[in-house]
Amino acid sequence: MDTRVLIVGAGPTGLALAGELMRRKVDCILIDSLEGPLHWDRATVVHPRTLELLDTVGLADELVEAGVSQRHLHIYSDGEKLGEMDLAESGSEFGFNLNVSEEVTESVLTGHLERQGGSVRQGHRLTAMRQEPDRVVATVEHSDEVMEIEAEWVVGCGGLHSPVRELSGIEFEGHDIAAPWAVFDVTLTGWPHGYDCNFAFLDRDPVIITALPGERWRAYVRPAAPDSALVGDAAAVITRYGPGVSLDDVANPTRFHCHTKVAARYREGRALLAGDAAHVVSPSQGHGMNTGIQDSFNLAWKMAMVCHGHADASLLDSYEAERRPVARRVAASGDDFESAQGILDEAGRGERNGAIRDAYANEESRRQEVLAEAELNISYAGSPIVIGGEPVEGPGAGDRFVDPAFEMPTGFGHTLLVVAHGEDLAAEAVASLDPKVSRAFESTVTLGPDSGAPDRLGVEVASFFAIRPDGHVGCRSDGAGTQPIEDYVDLLRAGGRGAAEGN
């Protein structure tokens, strides 16, 4: 066997997955068909939830230092402001979008991979693949050489035309987006508004601008015509909101077409999909790259458990069960935005603008918009590998765990959190666990009454939380009962609810 995992595609998703597998001592080979990393790529925004995950492996600070933080988002149309959101209201430690060009994000992830002893094999193209009961045999071409790589698993992260997806016969369901987009980097000389903001101008030819380091901007433009001057298209809108602004030092003007597609399934035997191989969406909300990176953090810990023999291979089915609904929701949201910003008739635009204005004027609906933008509204409550009912307060099974007294560990495995109204109660609860169960957790953390956590989390006496490596609650057991935690460990080892019931 040449490697445990072959990863095809070295964009942000593939790099994140390879780095996290290598960090967990799972050998992998990462290949990419390009001869070298891109020197410019159009994706920009890294959302708060992605920053939280990157922070668990020590990468958030490096990325934040390289980018520009944008706390506020402003929406305009037809010369008037419709609403704004403040991402600090999300409650995340990272209460902002980070704007940084995609190639910089890739370089940070590449450095992480290299520190784990990995690297990218550039100029390697997957051309064939056959699955056997215990392995995948991949045919890879490099220059004039043809080689075979044997792996236990293969993960396709290779974009719209993913060879892993196509060779696995997995359908890519969805549609093309008819109207093209364009993008370029620019200096907005004389810009009168804030630099820590994102601006969406939903005029007849929409423009979205996001800040970049060096007081530059990245402009996403809907071209007015197939042969129109992109800078002129953008200037016609931007100068409406900043009279006298000039667009200078334009770089990398690029037209591109988009698609809304989600793979019919994320696994076929020993082949899995992640990132753009599994889903492509409208760029209008900036969620595509982030969804891919989050795929990787979800898949990596599960694949490591399987490769190390700590869980049945059916655990990997929970990856699709958790992540495919997220991709479908992001795709639908992008389509809704595409439809809304493409309205041309006056009555329709007036109705749309009124709906946006009302949504942002209402505190609760604005909060929901903030959480969606920050990507903090994702829950795996229906997952086949979570246990626990709906709590009275605080995060339940499947939810992202957050509490000001708890800092997510930077290890590899699960954390057992015990929250109790007394230190003795916490100690007794931990001592009552079967040692075989205790060993399933990399670390144990207790929060007593002085932390305030029991009251914030609705804990009456004592509660157990099994916190997964991706920060979601695998199990919540209220009342100091240990059986649900033991059941959760058994469930993981068996590979999930469907697998456990079939045994």
Side-chain angles (χ1 to χ4, degrees):
M1 194 76 68
D2 294 306
T3 189
R4 306 298 294 273
V5 184
L6 172 64
I7 302 171
V8 182
T13 301
L15 288 164
L17 179 60
E20 281 302 275
L21 287 175
M22 293 289 289
R23 192 171 72 93
R24 290 177 165 83
K25 310 304 179 188
V26 177
D27 182 61
C28 62
I29 292 175
L30 174 59
I31 66 172
D32 194 273
S33 60
L34 296 177
E35 294 299 325
L38 293 173
H39 298 293
W40 181 88
D41 209 352
R42 62 178 182 256
T44 311
V45 178
V46 182
H47 292 280
R49 179 56 183 150
T50 303
L51 288 171
E52 288 181 349
L53 290 169
L54 293 173
D55 194 44
T56 66
V57 294
L59 298 181
D61 288 346
E62 180 181 358
L63 200 58
V64 169
E65 187 175 343
V68 175
S69 301
Q70 287 194 309
R71 173 178 165 181
H72 299 276
L73 287 82
H74 298 260
I75 300 177
Y76 293 79
S77 179
D78 300 328
E80 62 174 323
K81 186 174 183 178
L82 303 181
E84 66 177 276
M85 67 173 77
D86 180 354
L87 291 178
E89 296 176 0
S90 68
S92 173
E93 176 186 356
F94 302 95
F96 52 85
N97 281 334
L98 182 73
N99 284 2
V100 60
S101 196
E102 183 177 341
E103 72 275 5
V104 179
T105 302
E106 290 185 1
S107 70
V108 170
L109 291 169
T110 299
H112 175 57
L113 172 61
E114 291 174 345
R115 288 190 292 273
Q116 314 312 312
S119 62
V120 182
R121 299 190 185 186
Q122 303 282 174
H124 286 66
R125 185 166 62 93
L126 176 69
T127 58
M129 186 177 75
R130 74 174 186 273
Q131 293 204 34
E132 298 179 357
D134 62 344
R135 74 191 68 199
V136 178
V137 180
T139 302
V140 175
E141 295 184 1
H142 174 56
S143 299
D144 295 329
E145 179 185 6
V146 178
M147 68 190 81
E148 284 193 343
I149 297 177
E150 293 187 4
E152 291 181 23
W153 303 93
V154 61
V155 184
C157 305
L160 178 65
H161 301 291
S162 163
V164 173
R165 190 188 65 245
E166 293 175 353
L167 291 168
S168 299
I170 299 175
E171 294 184 7
F172 215 16
E173 300 172 341
H175 59 88
D176 299 331
I177 296 174
W181 281 89
V183 62
F184 57 82
D185 293 346
V186 65
T187 296
L188 299 180
T189 304
W191 180 247
H193 305 297
Y195 189 67
D196 66 338
C197 305
N198 172 294
F199 295 88
F201 304 117
L202 305 183
D203 289 37
R204 288 182 173 274
D205 298 315
V207 175
I208 300 171
I209 58 172
T210 61
L212 291 172
E215 297 193 357
R216 297 274 284 169
W217 295 85
R218 181 156 292 171
Y220 296 88
V221 184
R222 266 275 153 74
D227 57 351
S228 62
L230 297 181
V231 176
D233 291 342
V237 175
I238 290 173
T239 55
R240 184 176 192 176
Y241 301 93
V245 170
S246 62
L247 282 67
D248 301 319
D249 301 321
V250 174
N252 303 309
T254 307
R255 294 174 185 259
F256 59 95
H257 286 271
C258 303
H259 318 268
T260 297
K261 296 186 177 184
V262 178
R265 55 192 184 280
Y266 279 19
R267 179 183 174 190
E268 178 64 33
R270 290 184 168 272
L272 296 99
L273 304 176
D276 286 353
H279 45 77
V280 290
V281 299
S282 165
S284 55
Q285 296 175 311
H287 294 306
M289 178 185 71
N290 290 265
T291 303
I293 293 174
Q294 291 168 36
D295 286 346
S296 294
F297 276 85
N298 185 288
L299 179 58
W301 69 266
K302 298 172 181 177
M303 184 157 279
M305 285 190 70
V306 171
C307 288
H308 289 312
H310 300 319
D312 186 83
S314 56
L315 178 64
L316 298 178
D317 293 333
S318 70
Y319 162 65
E320 175 182 326
E322 293 181 349
R323 294 303 299 169
R324 189 170 183 271
V326 174
R328 287 175 58 84
R329 187 169 66 192
V330 170
S333 177
D335 276 351
D336 288 345
F337 188 93
E338 289 277 343
S339 298
Q341 60 93 42
I343 296 173
L344 298 179
D345 66 279
E346 292 299 324
R349 291 177 66 78
E351 184 177 343
R352 179 204 67 185
N353 291 352
I356 294 174
R357 192 182 297 108
D358 291 345
Y360 282 89
N362 179 275
E363 183 177 352
E364 179 55 31
S365 63
R366 185 176 66 251
R367 173 168 169 73
Q368 294 307 314
E369 293 289 343
V370 167
L371 293 177
E373 174 65 22
E375 300 177 341
L376 300 177
N377 60 345
I378 296 169
S379 174
Y380 304 137
S383 169
I385 59 166
V386 303
I387 291 179
E390 187 71 24
V392 175
E393 293 182 57
D399 295 341
R400 159 182 165 267
F401 187 87
V402 60
D403 186 88
F406 176 78
E407 183 175 350
M408 186 68 192
T410 58
F412 311 100
H414 279 66
T415 298
L416 178 62
L417 172 65
V418 184
V419 183
H421 279 284
E423 300 297 339
D424 292 341
L425 285 171
E428 291 171 7
V430 173
S432 68
L433 276 172
D434 186 316
K436 292 181 180 179
V437 174
S438 299
R439 287 196 292 270
F441 294 91
E442 184 175 337
S443 59
T444 299
V445 177
T446 60
L447 295 178
D450 291 345
S451 70
D455 291 331
R456 285 192 299 270
L457 299 172
V459 174
E460 293 184 1
V461 180
S463 296
F464 287 101
F465 295 83
I467 311 297
R468 304 178 350 167
D470 58 7
H472 285 259
V473 178
C475 176
R476 174 170 179 163
S477 174
D478 291 312
T482 64
Q483 189 60 51
I485 294 294
E486 295 174 11
D487 291 343
Y488 173 70
V489 172
D490 289 341
L491 185 65
L492 280 186
R493 290 169 175 166
R497 216 156 358 249
E501 292 166 357
N503 289 340

